[in-house]
Amino acid sequence: MNKQSAIGFALIGIILLLFSWYNTKQFEKQNRARLEADSLARVEALKYAEDIAEQEAARAISDTLDSIPGVATLYKTQSLNSMMYNGEETVVYLQNDNIRVGLSTHGGQVCEVLIKKYFKYDSTALYLMPMGSSSFDIELDAGQYINTTDFNYVVASQGTDNVTMRLYVDENSYIEHIYTLAPDSYDLGFDLHFVGMDAAIPRSSSQCRINWTMDMPRLEKGYTNEKNYSAVAFRYIGADNIKQIMLRKDSGRESLAGTASWVAFKQQFFSAILYATDGFSGGDVAVKTYPESDPAQRLFAAGAQLTLDYGSKGSDFTRSMQFNFTPNHYPVLKGYDRKYDKLLPLGGWLTGTICKYVIIPVFNWLSKYFNSYGLIILLLTILIKLVISPFTIQSYKSTAKMKVLQPEIEKINAKYPKEADAMKKQQATMDLYKKSGVSMFGGCLPVLLQFPILYAMFRFFPSSFELRQQSFLWAHALSTYDSILDFGFKIPMYGDHISLFALLMGISMFVYSKMTASSTAAQNQQMPGMQFMTVWMMPIFMVLLCNNFSAGLNYYYFLSNLITIGQNWFIRKYVVSEEKLKAQIARKAAEAKEPKKSKFQQRLEEAYKMQQQQQKSQQKRR
């Protein structure tokens, strides 16, 4: 055997050894994987078998309880087993002039709420909580965990304004739900009363858990508008503001990071609120919206899982709460002194202050003397325009001064036509303004000062309970959109209808823009696209945007534009004379000394000199 053959056989042997080692490792790996899979399968099978066994056991227990009454197997006491919910439910009612509340023996809970003085958008009865739309369950440790919705309470007592329901743990221990309806209010008192439960509740258990869920129905005409002004909210004890999960997203969840005073399921104009005297020490709130096509006409599903501390336990102790099924009317919400008024989306500090202390008081004052809310909005608009008229006059004067100075500005533009002379042109323009006593921002500042009022009105109208179902002209309700034609289908970015108030608002905006365009013609020549945007695009955009807004808001914008057009005509004809302004500016320019250069002008000159030096140095290099 030569040397090459020996090397070849050696290499073949090494390859065979390596292949054998690799196969052994792969086999061991596959074997381990198979064993693990078999183990997991056995675990899953065992778990499945245990689940089946538990289901069979539960079914057997249920069958035993049905066939042999009195045998206690699910719960530790005969009383709890005998009070298990078996489909027999009794509903008792409490009512006053404002609401009617249905109380079910199934779980001892509120099952129905009718708001008496108001109606849905289709004129049917307004059920804030329709039958079967809610669940209020209390989960507690009474030697074993129980849920109150598993039991059928007994009515222990019933009066004209109160109902007491009991769940007996044994013959000497029970849990009471005591409901009290205050007269002429939207408030249902709820006391969770524990009697003889100190022996049943372990010492280690210091709290129970409340699970409150509710499907909030659609009550208003416009789905999108109603959804945008609905929310799930809560407030921490001592906090000035509230936390909200708005419905602009399909779902949301928030955990309580402190002791909450109350939790609210808020629709655009009505709320269901649960308040605890000592607060809820923790929990979570969640919300999920229903689509517009929901056949049950539900707006959103809300849930709150709340922790309620027992405090000092004894043989007889009570935890006090209160339900508030209330309209979102500012005076009503403010009257609770619990920051319920924060549920109204009136804006931040500035706009909220304007709404609460100016617009709402004036609106309520006018409503004492006039029944037509269309007329009230007109009078309110006139009052607002009178208040801001000094700013309007100042803005118009500034615009007129700029127009008078336009020939001089054109001379400066002709003197410095090159881009290299831009800084010189800017400096000359500023000197002209200073000599003439004209402010570049004179027309902008008065307009900016009006924005908080305009935005406050934008926040006020959609949340104004006063406008709900108040008709005016062709609008059936000023709180939602008006429609003169329904398409039966949706147009993207526009909607399924034509709002006449939105159209009128757009037309008035177009007329106003055309009027103001003539006074700023020179500026528009420098920026031709600006005139097109202001005169044409903005009115069209606003019509598209406002088509689904409340009729009251669009009506206000329409009136505001009409009055502004009238104001500008009156100011131009009788208040501000361009000839007098021209003479006044000329006199000031003649009397004015050489204007002292400001720091900005000095920096401008320095920048210009540096630019000139750079240009000269570049030319030398070339």
Side-chain angles (χ1 to χ4, degrees), residues 542-563:
M542 289 300 292
V543 170
L544 293 174
L545 178 68
C546 298
N547 190 62
N548 292 294
F549 284 5
S550 69
L553 181 63
N554 286 330
Y555 174 53
Y556 164 75
Y557 284 156
F558 168 61
L559 291 176
S560 181
N561 288 338
L562 284 184
I563 295 172

PDB file of all heavy atoms in Angstrom, residues 542-563:
ATOM      1  N   MET A 542     -64.098  74.442   5.345  1.00  0.00           N
ATOM      2  CA  MET A 542     -64.942  74.602   6.529  1.00  0.00           C
ATOM      3  C   MET A 542     -66.317  73.969   6.330  1.00  0.00           C
ATOM      4  O   MET A 542     -66.893  73.411   7.272  1.00  0.00           O
ATOM      5  CB  MET A 542     -65.092  76.087   6.870  1.00  0.00           C
ATOM      6  CG  MET A 542     -63.822  76.717   7.430  1.00  0.00           C
ATOM      7  SD  MET A 542     -63.246  75.941   8.946  1.00  0.00           S
ATOM      8  CE  MET A 542     -64.553  76.414  10.087  1.00  0.00           C
ATOM      9  N   VAL A 543     -66.858  74.022   5.120  1.00  0.00           N
ATOM     10  CA  VAL A 543     -68.143  73.355   4.845  1.00  0.00           C
ATOM     11  C   VAL A 543     -68.000  71.853   5.017  1.00  0.00           C
ATOM     12  O   VAL A 543     -68.852  71.189   5.619  1.00  0.00           O
ATOM     13  CB  VAL A 543     -68.641  73.706   3.428  1.00  0.00           C
ATOM     14  CG1 VAL A 543     -69.832  72.825   3.058  1.00  0.00           C
ATOM     15  CG2 VAL A 543     -69.055  75.169   3.363  1.00  0.00           C
ATOM     16  N   LEU A 544     -66.914  71.290   4.480  1.00  0.00           N
ATOM     17  CA  LEU A 544     -66.672  69.851   4.630  1.00  0.00           C
ATOM     18  C   LEU A 544     -66.486  69.480   6.092  1.00  0.00           C
ATOM     19  O   LEU A 544     -67.008  68.467   6.565  1.00  0.00           O
ATOM     20  CB  LEU A 544     -65.428  69.437   3.831  1.00  0.00           C
ATOM     21  CG  LEU A 544     -65.526  69.531   2.308  1.00  0.00           C
ATOM     22  CD1 LEU A 544     -64.174  69.237   1.670  1.00  0.00           C
ATOM     23  CD2 LEU A 544     -66.574  68.572   1.773  1.00  0.00           C
ATOM     24  N   LEU A 545     -65.741  70.308   6.825  1.00  0.00           N
ATOM     25  CA  LEU A 545     -65.441  70.018   8.223  1.00  0.00           C
ATOM     26  C   LEU A 545     -66.669  70.142   9.106  1.00  0.00           C
ATOM     27  O   LEU A 545     -66.904  69.320  10.001  1.00  0.00           O
ATOM     28  CB  LEU A 545     -64.338  70.968   8.715  1.00  0.00           C
ATOM     29  CG  LEU A 545     -63.919  70.830  10.185  1.00  0.00           C
ATOM     30  CD1 LEU A 545     -63.220  69.493  10.404  1.00  0.00           C
ATOM     31  CD2 LEU A 545     -63.005  71.984  10.588  1.00  0.00           C
ATOM     32  N   CYS A 546     -67.477  71.166   8.857  1.00  0.00           N
ATOM     33  CA  CYS A 546     -68.577  71.494   9.766  1.00  0.00           C
ATOM     34  C   CYS A 546     -69.902  70.832   9.405  1.00  0.00           C
ATOM     35  O   CYS A 546     -70.896  71.054  10.100  1.00  0.00           O
ATOM     36  CB  CYS A 546     -68.774  73.016   9.810  1.00  0.00           C
ATOM     37  SG  CYS A 546     -67.342  73.917  10.443  1.00  0.00           S
ATOM     38  N   ASN A 547     -69.933  70.050   8.346  1.00  0.00           N
ATOM     39  CA  ASN A 547     -71.193  69.441   7.924  1.00  0.00           C
ATOM     40  C   ASN A 547     -71.811  68.561   9.003  1.00  0.00           C
ATOM     41  O   ASN A 547     -73.030  68.437   9.097  1.00  0.00           O
ATOM     42  CB  ASN A 547     -70.973  68.627   6.649  1.00  0.00           C
ATOM     43  CG  ASN A 547     -72.268  68.165   6.012  1.00  0.00           C
ATOM     44  OD1 ASN A 547     -73.095  68.978   5.610  1.00  0.00           O
ATOM     45  ND2 ASN A 547     -72.461  66.859   5.930  1.00  0.00           N
ATOM     46  N   ASN A 548     -70.958  67.939   9.852  1.00  0.00           N
ATOM     47  CA  ASN A 548     -71.448  67.067  10.917  1.00  0.00           C
ATOM     48  C   ASN A 548     -71.425  67.732  12.287  1.00  0.00           C
ATOM     49  O   ASN A 548     -71.718  67.074  13.288  1.00  0.00           O
ATOM     50  CB  ASN A 548     -70.624  65.771  10.957  1.00  0.00           C
ATOM     51  CG  ASN A 548     -70.849  64.910   9.735  1.00  0.00           C
ATOM     52  OD1 ASN A 548     -71.924  64.387   9.516  1.00  0.00           O
ATOM     53  ND2 ASN A 548     -69.816  64.780   8.908  1.00  0.00           N
ATOM     54  N   PHE A 549     -71.054  69.013  12.334  1.00  0.00           N
ATOM     55  CA  PHE A 549     -71.057  69.728  13.604  1.00  0.00           C
ATOM     56  C   PHE A 549     -72.498  70.067  14.008  1.00  0.00           C
ATOM     57  O   PHE A 549     -73.420  69.994  13.203  1.00  0.00           O
ATOM     58  CB  PHE A 549     -70.245  71.018  13.500  1.00  0.00           C
ATOM     59  CG  PHE A 549     -68.750  70.795  13.522  1.00  0.00           C
ATOM     60  CD1 PHE A 549     -68.213  69.523  13.527  1.00  0.00           C
ATOM     61  CD2 PHE A 549     -67.871  71.863  13.520  1.00  0.00           C
ATOM     62  CE1 PHE A 549     -66.844  69.301  13.543  1.00  0.00           C
ATOM     63  CE2 PHE A 549     -66.502  71.672  13.532  1.00  0.00           C
ATOM     64  CZ  PHE A 549     -65.990  70.390  13.543  1.00  0.00           C
ATOM     65  N   SER A 550     -72.650  70.458  15.259  1.00  0.00           N
ATOM     66  CA  SER A 550     -73.984  70.809  15.747  1.00  0.00           C
ATOM     67  C   SER A 550     -74.519  72.033  15.004  1.00  0.00           C
ATOM     68  O   SER A 550     -73.761  72.945  14.635  1.00  0.00           O
ATOM     69  CB  SER A 550     -73.935  71.095  17.248  1.00  0.00           C
ATOM     70  OG  SER A 550     -73.227  72.287  17.520  1.00  0.00           O
ATOM     71  N   ALA A 551     -75.824  72.048  14.777  1.00  0.00           N
ATOM     72  CA  ALA A 551     -76.458  73.152  14.069  1.00  0.00           C
ATOM     73  C   ALA A 551     -76.266  74.469  14.817  1.00  0.00           C
ATOM     74  O   ALA A 551     -76.096  75.529  14.198  1.00  0.00           O
ATOM     75  CB  ALA A 551     -77.948  72.863  13.878  1.00  0.00           C
ATOM     76  N   GLY A 552     -76.279  74.406  16.154  1.00  0.00           N
ATOM     77  CA  GLY A 552     -76.098  75.617  16.949  1.00  0.00           C
ATOM     78  C   GLY A 552     -74.746  76.252  16.712  1.00  0.00           C
ATOM     79  O   GLY A 552     -74.630  77.483  16.609  1.00  0.00           O
ATOM     80  N   LEU A 553     -73.701  75.427  16.586  1.00  0.00           N
ATOM     81  CA  LEU A 553     -72.353  75.954  16.344  1.00  0.00           C
ATOM     82  C   LEU A 553     -72.252  76.570  14.955  1.00  0.00           C
ATOM     83  O   LEU A 553     -71.719  77.678  14.792  1.00  0.00           O
ATOM     84  CB  LEU A 553     -71.330  74.829  16.514  1.00  0.00           C
ATOM     85  CG  LEU A 553     -69.869  75.219  16.315  1.00  0.00           C
ATOM     86  CD1 LEU A 553     -69.440  76.247  17.351  1.00  0.00           C
ATOM     87  CD2 LEU A 553     -68.961  73.986  16.387  1.00  0.00           C
ATOM     88  N   ASN A 554     -72.759  75.880  13.935  1.00  0.00           N
ATOM     89  CA  ASN A 554     -72.709  76.426  12.576  1.00  0.00           C
ATOM     90  C   ASN A 554     -73.553  77.688  12.444  1.00  0.00           C
ATOM     91  O   ASN A 554     -73.193  78.634  11.734  1.00  0.00           O
ATOM     92  CB  ASN A 554     -73.187  75.368  11.570  1.00  0.00           C
ATOM     93  CG  ASN A 554     -72.164  74.273  11.351  1.00  0.00           C
ATOM     94  OD1 ASN A 554     -70.968  74.506  11.469  1.00  0.00           O
ATOM     95  ND2 ASN A 554     -72.634  73.076  11.042  1.00  0.00           N
ATOM     96  N   TYR A 555     -74.685  77.709  13.138  1.00  0.00           N
ATOM     97  CA  TYR A 555     -75.539  78.893  13.140  1.00  0.00           C
ATOM     98  C   TYR A 555     -74.812  80.078  13.771  1.00  0.00           C
ATOM     99  O   TYR A 555     -74.866  81.211  13.263  1.00  0.00           O
ATOM    100  CB  TYR A 555     -76.826  78.574  13.907  1.00  0.00           C
ATOM    101  CG  TYR A 555     -77.759  79.729  14.137  1.00  0.00           C
ATOM    102  CD1 TYR A 555     -78.195  80.539  13.096  1.00  0.00           C
ATOM    103  CD2 TYR A 555     -78.233  80.008  15.425  1.00  0.00           C
ATOM    104  CE1 TYR A 555     -79.065  81.595  13.326  1.00  0.00           C
ATOM    105  CE2 TYR A 555     -79.102  81.051  15.657  1.00  0.00           C
ATOM    106  CZ  TYR A 555     -79.512  81.855  14.611  1.00  0.00           C
ATOM    107  OH  TYR A 555     -80.372  82.897  14.842  1.00  0.00           O
ATOM    108  N   TYR A 556     -74.076  79.815  14.859  1.00  0.00           N
ATOM    109  CA  TYR A 556     -73.300  80.878  15.502  1.00  0.00           C
ATOM    110  C   TYR A 556     -72.213  81.399  14.570  1.00  0.00           C
ATOM    111  O   TYR A 556     -72.014  82.619  14.426  1.00  0.00           O
ATOM    112  CB  TYR A 556     -72.663  80.361  16.799  1.00  0.00           C
ATOM    113  CG  TYR A 556     -71.564  81.263  17.304  1.00  0.00           C
ATOM    114  CD1 TYR A 556     -71.859  82.477  17.910  1.00  0.00           C
ATOM    115  CD2 TYR A 556     -70.224  80.909  17.143  1.00  0.00           C
ATOM    116  CE1 TYR A 556     -70.848  83.330  18.343  1.00  0.00           C
ATOM    117  CE2 TYR A 556     -69.213  81.743  17.574  1.00  0.00           C
ATOM    118  CZ  TYR A 556     -69.530  82.949  18.174  1.00  0.00           C
ATOM    119  OH  TYR A 556     -68.528  83.776  18.597  1.00  0.00           O
ATOM    120  N   TYR A 557     -71.470  80.491  13.896  1.00  0.00           N
ATOM    121  CA  TYR A 557     -70.432  80.928  12.963  1.00  0.00           C
ATOM    122  C   TYR A 557     -71.022  81.742  11.813  1.00  0.00           C
ATOM    123  O   TYR A 557     -70.431  82.740  11.373  1.00  0.00           O
ATOM    124  CB  TYR A 557     -69.689  79.710  12.400  1.00  0.00           C
ATOM    125  CG  TYR A 557     -68.703  79.082  13.355  1.00  0.00           C
ATOM    126  CD1 TYR A 557     -68.328  77.748  13.220  1.00  0.00           C
ATOM    127  CD2 TYR A 557     -68.122  79.810  14.383  1.00  0.00           C
ATOM    128  CE1 TYR A 557     -67.413  77.157  14.088  1.00  0.00           C
ATOM    129  CE2 TYR A 557     -67.216  79.245  15.262  1.00  0.00           C
ATOM    130  CZ  TYR A 557     -66.868  77.907  15.106  1.00  0.00           C
ATOM    131  OH  TYR A 557     -65.974  77.336  15.959  1.00  0.00           O
ATOM    132  N   PHE A 558     -72.185  81.329  11.318  1.00  0.00           N
ATOM    133  CA  PHE A 558     -72.865  82.055  10.240  1.00  0.00           C
ATOM    134  C   PHE A 558     -73.233  83.464  10.700  1.00  0.00           C
ATOM    135  O   PHE A 558     -72.943  84.456  10.006  1.00  0.00           O
ATOM    136  CB  PHE A 558     -74.099  81.272   9.816  1.00  0.00           C
ATOM    137  CG  PHE A 558     -75.047  82.028   8.925  1.00  0.00           C
ATOM    138  CD1 PHE A 558     -74.637  82.492   7.684  1.00  0.00           C
ATOM    139  CD2 PHE A 558     -76.351  82.275   9.325  1.00  0.00           C
ATOM    140  CE1 PHE A 558     -75.507  83.193   6.858  1.00  0.00           C
ATOM    141  CE2 PHE A 558     -77.226  82.972   8.518  1.00  0.00           C
ATOM    142  CZ  PHE A 558     -76.809  83.444   7.275  1.00  0.00           C
ATOM    143  N   LEU A 559     -73.838  83.571  11.876  1.00  0.00           N
ATOM    144  CA  LEU A 559     -74.197  84.888  12.413  1.00  0.00           C
ATOM    145  C   LEU A 559     -72.965  85.746  12.657  1.00  0.00           C
ATOM    146  O   LEU A 559     -72.957  86.947  12.367  1.00  0.00           O
ATOM    147  CB  LEU A 559     -74.972  84.714  13.727  1.00  0.00           C
ATOM    148  CG  LEU A 559     -76.372  84.110  13.639  1.00  0.00           C
ATOM    149  CD1 LEU A 559     -76.944  83.911  15.035  1.00  0.00           C
ATOM    150  CD2 LEU A 559     -77.298  85.003  12.820  1.00  0.00           C
ATOM    151  N   SER A 560     -71.920  85.112  13.188  1.00  0.00           N
ATOM    152  CA  SER A 560     -70.693  85.847  13.485  1.00  0.00           C
ATOM    153  C   SER A 560     -70.096  86.434  12.204  1.00  0.00           C
ATOM    154  O   SER A 560     -69.659  87.596  12.188  1.00  0.00           O
ATOM    155  CB  SER A 560     -69.683  84.912  14.166  1.00  0.00           C
ATOM    156  OG  SER A 560     -68.488  85.596  14.481  1.00  0.00           O
ATOM    157  N   ASN A 561     -70.093  85.650  11.127  1.00  0.00           N
ATOM    158  CA  ASN A 561     -69.572  86.151   9.853  1.00  0.00           C
ATOM    159  C   ASN A 561     -70.427  87.287   9.301  1.00  0.00           C
ATOM    160  O   ASN A 561     -69.905  88.294   8.804  1.00  0.00           O
ATOM    161  CB  ASN A 561     -69.503  85.019   8.832  1.00  0.00           C
ATOM    162  CG  ASN A 561     -68.402  84.025   9.131  1.00  0.00           C
ATOM    163  OD1 ASN A 561     -67.449  84.339   9.830  1.00  0.00           O
ATOM    164  ND2 ASN A 561     -68.537  82.817   8.604  1.00  0.00           N
ATOM    165  N   LEU A 562     -71.772  87.142   9.391  1.00  0.00           N
ATOM    166  CA  LEU A 562     -72.664  88.199   8.905  1.00  0.00           C
ATOM    167  C   LEU A 562     -72.444  89.499   9.666  1.00  0.00           C
ATOM    168  O   LEU A 562     -72.358  90.587   9.067  1.00  0.00           O
ATOM    169  CB  LEU A 562     -74.121  87.758   9.048  1.00  0.00           C
ATOM    170  CG  LEU A 562     -74.670  86.749   8.046  1.00  0.00           C
ATOM    171  CD1 LEU A 562     -76.153  86.525   8.297  1.00  0.00           C
ATOM    172  CD2 LEU A 562     -74.457  87.227   6.609  1.00  0.00           C
ATOM    173  N   ILE A 563     -72.337  89.402  10.986  1.00  0.00           N
ATOM    174  CA  ILE A 563     -72.155  90.611  11.789  1.00  0.00           C
ATOM    175  C   ILE A 563     -70.792  91.227  11.508  1.00  0.00           C
ATOM    176  O   ILE A 563     -70.652  92.463  11.445  1.00  0.00           O
ATOM    177  CB  ILE A 563     -72.326  90.279  13.287  1.00  0.00           C
ATOM    178  CG1 ILE A 563     -73.764  89.841  13.567  1.00  0.00           C
ATOM    179  CG2 ILE A 563     -71.972  91.483  14.156  1.00  0.00           C
ATOM    180  CD1 ILE A 563     -73.986  89.320  14.971  1.00  0.00           C
TER     181      ILE A 563
END
